[in-house]
Amino acid sequence: MVTEYTATARAHSNIAFIKYWGNREPGIRLPANSSLSMNLAALHSTTRVTWSEALAEDSLMINEQPAAPAAFLRVRAHLDTLREELGSTLYADVASKNNFPMGAGIASSASAFAALTVAATIALGLRLPERELSALARRGSGSAARSIPAGFVEWRAGGADKESYAETIASPDYWPLEDVIAVISPDHKHVGSTAGHASANTSILQRARVESAADRLESAKQSVLARDFEALAPVVEEDSNLMHAVMMTSKPSLFYWLPKSLRIMLAVREWRHQGLQVCYTLDAGPNVHCICGAEDAAAVAARVKELDSDIEVIRSSVGGGAQIMNVNDRIG
Ligand code: DP6
């Protein structure tokens, strides 16, 4: 009889208010600064992991297709980390599905590595504390550490592997914000985040960004806890602008914005001056995340469409933490 251990988990994507950009120790993704984010209920990855004695190597399907070599190698490296940390010698079949476009600046790696980490550990019968899951997920993709806990999340940089994990600062229903995402381009980004992080220190601005990140994080955190949108908006925009300033001044320089992104960013500031609760933030892609007070989200979505009817809009409320969907679920 062949022994197999299977579990399925789901994790949500997240959008950072205070960004993770650059690593102190790239090999284990020990970040240069702490970061703060909100999980996105509408965007998730669902991942099934089957560890089996019958397998002679790992395999990966993404959205029901065999994964591209780069994606496979990255997942295999994470499975190696998990084998080492969890004391297993088994190989795994991994099947993952995203309900949103990959590589569009919506962090598919965050939800994917969070779901993979939870499914892989649960399948082996290990119910690890949230902190340990978060630190393990971080090794696969830094932002995945923030997709383990629920709601509004702080990832403390920490000084060592086990100290670098994320925790909830407020539950999903604490403040009904929405992310109205203007999807400018669903294409894969030209330079992925991992390569981008590696070049962060080539910008003379990175040191200034990192040194001042803790103050912005504290200010953003207090604004979330006080549900104070007026205080949150400028710090979220400043932090995004600073990260993009680092990107643009790295060697070689990285431009993730497109003309359409800037048009929306300027419009968002105008809408806020007109009284709407909205601010923008951009990750390593051209899409503009319009963070909105829930009451203004429909109006913001409509205004983005008015600016350019070709732009697809995805709306998301605040999401929960990574969850187990099934254990020992033999499928196929
Ligand atoms: C711009 O977590 O995608 O979205 O650790 O190499 O997988 P890897 O990088 P990733 O970086 C996210 C960068 C960001 C900002 C953020 O989400 O904090």
Side-chain angles (χ1 to χ4, degrees), residues 2-78:
V2 175
T3 311
E4 283 195 356
Y5 310 92
T6 301
T8 303
R10 174 171 291 174
H12 298 278
S13 174
N14 67 72
I15 179 69
F17 294 169
I18 302 297
K19 305 295 188 185
Y20 151 51
W21 196 247
N23 284 299
R24 275 171 52 194
E25 273 189 55
I28 57 166
R29 291 185 158 84
L30 210 55
N33 61 279
S34 300
S35 54
L36 189 83
S37 59
M38 110 181 173
N39 282 351
L40 299 175
L43 307 175
H44 53 73
S45 303
T46 308
T47 302
R48 191 182 80 226
V49 174
T50 303
W51 301 101
S52 171
E53 283 176 355
L55 296 171
E57 58 186 347
D58 298 318
S59 70
L60 173 65
M61 301 284 283
I62 299 180
N63 295 336
E64 292 171 337
Q65 304 285 333
F72 171 69
L73 291 177
R74 192 164 167 186
V75 164
R76 191 176 66 182
H78 193 54

Side-chain angles (χ1 to χ4, degrees), residues 14-23 26 29 33 35-37 74 105-110 113 137-146 155 189 192-198 239 243-244 247 256 282-285:
N14 67 72
I15 179 69
F17 294 169
I18 302 297
K19 305 295 188 185
Y20 151 51
W21 196 247
N23 284 299
R29 291 185 158 84
N33 61 279
S35 54
L36 189 83
S37 59
R74 192 164 167 186
I106 302 173
S108 57
S109 67
F113 281 94
R138 188 201 82 234
R139 305 270 301 268
S141 172
S143 54
R146 299 190 310 242
W155 168 19
K189 44 196 168 190
S193 300
T194 306
H197 289 295
D239 194 82
M243 180 181 72
H244 284 271
M247 292 161 160
Y256 288 105
L282 283 81
D283 280 344

